[in-house]
């Protein structure tokens, strides 16, 4: 009978002679192994039920705890087990497959136009408030950033731009850094839908003007959430429930620089795909950045880019408890949508609007065959992904494999296929 714990599952290694877990589970330094070590060596942190569910999924990923496929090798005659992945959106080992599935759907929305990249960042003085009000304040970030872009598009170009927004909550060292990456179409449909009105230059909107309007919208939204009683204040933030204290926090935040960063525009849909393949399903830290796990010293070392020093590559060592605390900061609320579409690309009626825009662009001599576009390979993500189907036998390397069985529960897996430390 299987009695493998989630933490032990993260360290599954080999099976008995003649039977084995797939080579895909060969131990290497992963976020799951670091989390497992932190939970073994330190007291359990205070997390919500959803937070523990996410950590449990990461620890069980690619172990027999989630069931498995059983394959038989025609050449050597041996069977092996390929454990299932968790497919949790916080798992760095599952993001390649999830990203590719999403990208294939987005290819149908691409247009042969210039795309712009705008980033909206919240001041760090709001970090503590956001930590207690993730859903409300991140929803507000989406609403204010998208409304700002659509308003500028209407005022300047008299058109409805298309916006895809992706939420990131972290910096390179896993500290809070709440910002929204927005991919904006270089134009849109006229009000009556009869014309495509495109941006004629490599310039979209002035950053200072965007920042000013965005900050005002977020300020008003904060006040509205307070008036409606939709903000929570606990622990050290309990005093913010008092009106004067909240107004002081607002004034402090408004005095900070609200960064709106406009990056160089994309040259076309191919560049957009390459960008989206890297950023849409990125999480706080991937397996590839982990360098060393030292259980004796209770530390983990990882690489990061210091953007304040010209994007220099540096190394940081954290205590395992602090690493787990920082990682847990970026667990999104259950059901929260981190990628959203607005304007021309808004979900309702988007297919019809995209088809109409494409027809107008084709009439202008700008044709695009989305079937010729393919999601770009992303080596960084692919190396981290453990979700690919088994392609060769772990015993002899043969690719002549046949599927024998699918086990949906660990109890169904034959004992000879389980790792020795799981029985």
């Amino acid at each position: 009978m299987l009695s493998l714990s989630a933490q032990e599952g993260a360290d599954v290694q080999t099976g008995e002679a003649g039977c084995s877990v797939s080579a895909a589970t060969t131990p290497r330094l992963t976020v799951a192994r670091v989390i497992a070590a932190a939970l073994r060596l330190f007291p359990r942190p205070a997390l919500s039920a959803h937070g523990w569910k996410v950590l449990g999924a990461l620890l069980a990923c690619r172990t027999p705890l989630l069931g498995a496929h059983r394959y038989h090798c025609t050449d050597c005659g041996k069977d092996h087990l390929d454990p299932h992945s968790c497919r949790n959106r916080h798992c760095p080992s599952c993001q390649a497959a999830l990203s590719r599935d999403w990208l294939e759907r987005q290819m149908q929305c691409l247009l042969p136009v210039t795309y712009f990249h705008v980033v909206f960042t919240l001041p760090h003085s709001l970090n503590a408030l956001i930590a207690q009000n993730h859903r409300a304040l991140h929803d507000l970030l989406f609403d204010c950033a998208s409304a700002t872009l659509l308003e500028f598009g209407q005022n300047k170009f008299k058109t409805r731009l298309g916006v895809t927004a992706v939420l990131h909550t972290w910096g390179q060292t896993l500290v809070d850094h709440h910002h929204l990456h927005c991919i904006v179409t270089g134009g849109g449909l006229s009000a009556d839908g009869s014309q495509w009105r495109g941006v004629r230059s490599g310039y979209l909107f002035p950053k200072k003007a965007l920042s000013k309007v965005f900050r005002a919208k977020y300020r008003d939204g904060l006040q509205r959430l307070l008036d409606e009683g939709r903000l929570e204040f606990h622990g050290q933030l309990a005093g913010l429930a008092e009106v004067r204290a909240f107004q002081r926090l607002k004034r402090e935040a408004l005095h900070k620089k609200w960064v709106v960063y406009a990056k160089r525009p994309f040259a076309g849909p191919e560049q957009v795909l390459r960008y989206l393949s890297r950023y849409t399903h990125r999480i706080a830290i991937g397996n590839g950045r982990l360098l060393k796990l030292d259980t004796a010293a209770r530390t983990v070392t990882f690489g990061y880019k210091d953007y304040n020093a010209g994007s220099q590559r540096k190394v940081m060592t954290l205590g395992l408890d602090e690493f787990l605390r920082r990682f847990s900061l970026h667990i999104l609320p259950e059901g929260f949508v981190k990628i959203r579409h607005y304007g021309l690309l808004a979900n309702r009626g988007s297919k019809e609007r995209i088809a109409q825009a494409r027809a107008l662009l084709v009439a202008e001599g700008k044709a695009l065959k989305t079937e010729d576009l393919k999601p770009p390979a992303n080596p960084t993500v692919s190396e981290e992904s453990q979700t690919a189907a088994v392609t060769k036998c772990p015993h002899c390397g043969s690719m002549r494999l046949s599927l024998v069985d699918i086990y949906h529960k660990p109890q169904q897996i034959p004992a000879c296929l389980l790792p020795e430390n799981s029985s």
Side-chain angles (χ1 to χ4, degrees), residues 131-148:
Q132 295 188 10
N133 298 274
H134 272 288
R135 190 181 298 274
L137 295 189
H138 284 149
D139 280 342
L140 184 61
L141 173 57
F142 274 103
D143 292 344
C144 294
S146 62
T148 299

Side-chain angles (χ1 to χ4, degrees), residues 107-359:
M107 284 192 296
Q108 304 306 315
C109 300
L110 290 173
L111 297 170
V113 300
T114 299
Y115 284 79
F116 294 84
H117 183 189
V118 184
V119 183
F120 293 84
T121 303
L122 294 177
H124 289 181
S125 53
L126 293 177
N127 284 352
L129 183 63
I130 295 173
Q132 295 188 10
N133 298 274
H134 272 288
R135 190 181 298 274
L137 295 189
H138 284 149
D139 280 342
L140 184 61
L141 173 57
F142 274 103
D143 292 344
C144 294
S146 62
T148 299
L149 288 169
L150 295 178
E151 183 178 303
F152 271 68
Q154 185 60 44
N155 292 339
K156 184 175 181 179
F157 304 114
K158 306 301 182 203
T159 189
R160 190 183 189 190
L161 302 176
V163 179
T164 294
V166 184
L167 175 68
H168 285 182
T169 64
W170 58 85
Q172 281 279 298
T173 58
L174 304 187
V175 295
D176 284 336
H177 182 57
H178 303 277
H179 56 289
L180 204 64
H181 291 263
C182 297
I183 311 302
V184 188
T185 58
L189 295 172
S190 59
D192 61 3
S194 64
Q195 298 178 6
W196 172 266
R197 293 177 177 169
V199 177
R200 300 300 181 184
S201 68
Y203 174 78
L204 191 60
F205 307 123
K207 293 183 292 184
K208 289 185 178 180
L210 283 174
S211 177
K212 183 177 179 179
V213 173
F214 168 61
R215 180 175 61 180
K217 289 182 180 295
Y218 204 89
R219 174 202 63 201
D220 296 344
L222 277 176
Q223 188 61 49
R224 184 170 60 253
L225 290 173
L226 178 69
D227 295 342
E228 295 173 356
R230 294 170 57 194
L231 294 179
E232 298 182 12
F233 309 100
H234 306 293
Q236 295 181 347
L237 297 188
L240 290 179
E242 197 272 321
V243 175
R244 289 184 179 178
F246 188 80
Q247 296 306 323
R248 282 197 299 271
L249 173 67
K250 261 202 336 182
R251 286 196 297 272
E252 178 186 354
L254 291 171
H255 283 238
K256 302 287 184 180
K257 183 179 180 181
W258 287 54
V259 179
V260 174
Y261 176 51
K263 295 190 176 183
R264 178 179 296 181
F266 299 104
E270 293 85 357
Q271 276 196 1
V272 173
L273 274 181
R274 284 197 294 272
Y275 174 82
L276 291 176
S277 72
R278 295 194 302 271
Y279 283 90
T280 53
H281 290 71
R282 179 174 288 183
I283 65 167
I285 187 169
N287 298 331
R289 288 175 55 197
L290 299 175
L291 301 176
K292 181 181 179 182
L293 172 61
D294 189 336
T295 54
R298 298 186 174 191
T299 61
V300 61
T301 301
F302 59 91
Y304 72 98
K305 285 184 181 179
D306 187 345
Y307 291 112
N308 292 323
S311 297
Q312 290 183 25
R313 293 189 178 275
K314 298 184 178 181
V315 172
M316 174 173 285
T317 298
L318 292 177
L320 289 172
D321 55 339
E322 175 62 11
F323 178 90
L324 180 56
R325 185 192 73 81
R326 293 191 188 189
F327 182 85
S328 300
L329 289 174
H330 310 294
I331 295 177
L332 295 173
E334 188 171 11
F336 185 86
V337 180
K338 62 173 286 188
I339 307 173
R340 306 184 187 184
H341 307 282
Y342 300 91
L344 178 69
L345 304 178
N347 292 333
R348 181 175 295 181
S350 63
K351 290 183 179 180
E352 292 76 10
R353 290 191 299 272
I354 294 295
Q356 188 175 10
R358 187 171 285 127

Side-chain angles (χ1 to χ4, degrees), residues 16-47:
E16 300 174 9
C19 304
S20 76
V21 173
S22 167
T25 59
T26 301
R28 61 194 183 95
L29 193 49
T30 64
V31 170
R33 290 186 66 200
V34 175
I35 291 174
L39 293 176
R40 285 196 303 267
L41 297 171
F42 288 93
R44 291 164 61 92
L47 296 177

